Amino acid sequence: GNLWVTDYTGKIDKLNADGSGFTTTYSGKFAEASDDITFDRQGDMFVTDTDGSPWKPTGEIALFDPQGQNPKTFMGGLASPNGISFTPDYEHLWVSEYTGQREDYLTLGKGGTSVGEAQVGMHGSPGIGKFDSNMVDSAGNVYQCLNEDGEVLVWNEHGELQETIKIKQNLGAPEFGGTNLAIKPGTKTAYLVVGGQAGGFVYTFPTLAK
């Protein structure tokens, strides 16, 4: 029931479920540009460090223990990795590269603490948009936020585009900053954090699966 917080100041923080007990569990180079986080079944934490670009791929994924400590490099050489989500069987990770505009498919090695195989699963052409956070539903569909483009792309595990969710532009000013989303467990309701010139909002939309 803990809440974990990543930020761009090189820290990993933890809070209790009620918001009390704010504690910094790690501070250092493995979290200098920490962005998104996901957990395996043992509680180990996989954190994206959104450094680098396609011309200088220095971004990495860091692996922390369940206490948010003792990090090590899980994978490097990425173009500002951002979104990171497990497949329903916890044997693979979908990782988005923020400026690389591609969705990577990582197969975990034995023990789940290394990369057994890596490949690019999907590419995007969002123009000025960037591949921000992602999420996976129980059917394995991948929901990819396009920051600055106002859309969420939905692919199945074979890379076939299933849906394009467009953020409604009905507030009198552009709202193209769709960055983070979550699916309420056991439901087909997604919650999308959106920002822009009209302010910050949380939007909802139906997903293809729970």
Side-chain angles (χ1 to χ4, degrees), residues 120-182:
V120 176
M122 289 82 85
H123 290 274
S125 300
I128 63 171
K130 302 174 179 68
F131 273 27
D132 209 291
S133 298
N134 62 23
M135 183 59 61
V136 176
D137 67 21
S138 61
N141 298 304
V142 183
Y143 299 74
Q144 179 58 58
C145 295
L146 300 185
N147 189 27
E148 300 180 26
D149 198 48
E151 295 181 347
V152 178
L153 300 179
V154 186
W155 295 290
N156 64 17
E157 62 180 6
H158 301 289
E160 298 166 335
L161 186 64
Q162 304 297 294
E163 265 191 306
T164 300
I165 309 297
K166 293 184 178 292
I167 298 169
K168 291 182 179 180
Q169 301 300 317
N170 57 359
L171 296 176
E175 287 288 306
F176 291 114
T179 56
N180 291 80
L181 77 160

Side-chain angles (χ1 to χ4, degrees), residues 22-91:
F22 185 93
T23 305
T24 296
T25 64
Y26 171 81
S27 180
K29 76 179 189 71
F30 283 96
E32 287 179 354
S34 58
D35 192 280
D36 278 17
I37 186 171
T38 193
F39 304 86
D40 65 15
R41 286 184 169 130
Q42 291 74 44
D44 296 316
M45 303 160 51
F46 295 74
V47 179
T48 52
D49 199 323
T50 57
D51 193 19
S53 71
W55 302 274
K56 190 178 180 182
T58 55
E60 67 176 19
I61 302 169
L63 176 59
F64 290 77
D65 64 24
Q67 287 72 48
Q69 300 173 344
N70 301 312
K72 68 176 184 178
T73 298
F74 177 73
M75 183 177 183
L78 298 169
S80 56
N82 193 302
I84 182 167
S85 298
F86 273 101
T87 55
D89 60 9
Y90 282 87
E91 294 181 1

